[in-house]
Amino acid sequence: MGYRVLVDLDKCVGDGDCADVCPVGVFVLQDDHAVAVHPEECLGCESCVEVCESGAIVIEEP
Ligand code: SF4
């Protein structure tokens, strides 16, 4: 099983930085917040965690 990509919708401000930085297209923006539409592609690089100023993303290891 792959990584779990969790977005805290109470923290997400929908700036899209995670979608911009993710090398494998895990995120799209829907209704002003990020949704992990392809979590199975996640590489666990944590670039999205580092770029998210709201601290809205948590990557859980398998
Ligand atoms: S950890 Fe890396 S590959 Fe996984 S969702 Fe975040 S930016 Fe994309």
Side-chain angles (χ1 to χ4, degrees):
M1 206 169 121
Y3 291 90
R4 294 184 70 206
V5 182
L6 308 174
V7 180
D8 185 336
L9 299 184
D10 290 330
K11 293 182 180 176
C12 179
V13 297
D15 59 17
D17 285 351
C18 56
D20 290 340
V21 78
C22 180
V24 290
V26 166
F27 302 98
V28 297
L29 292 183
Q30 289 178 359
D31 299 328
D32 294 328
H33 59 258
V35 179
V37 289
H38 294 297
E40 73 280 4
E41 300 290 337
C42 178
L43 307 170
C45 67
E46 303 228 350
S47 295
C48 55
V49 175
E50 291 167 17
V51 78
C52 181
E53 295 179 359
S54 310
I57 303 173
V58 173
I59 304 297
E60 288 188 350
E61 294 187 20

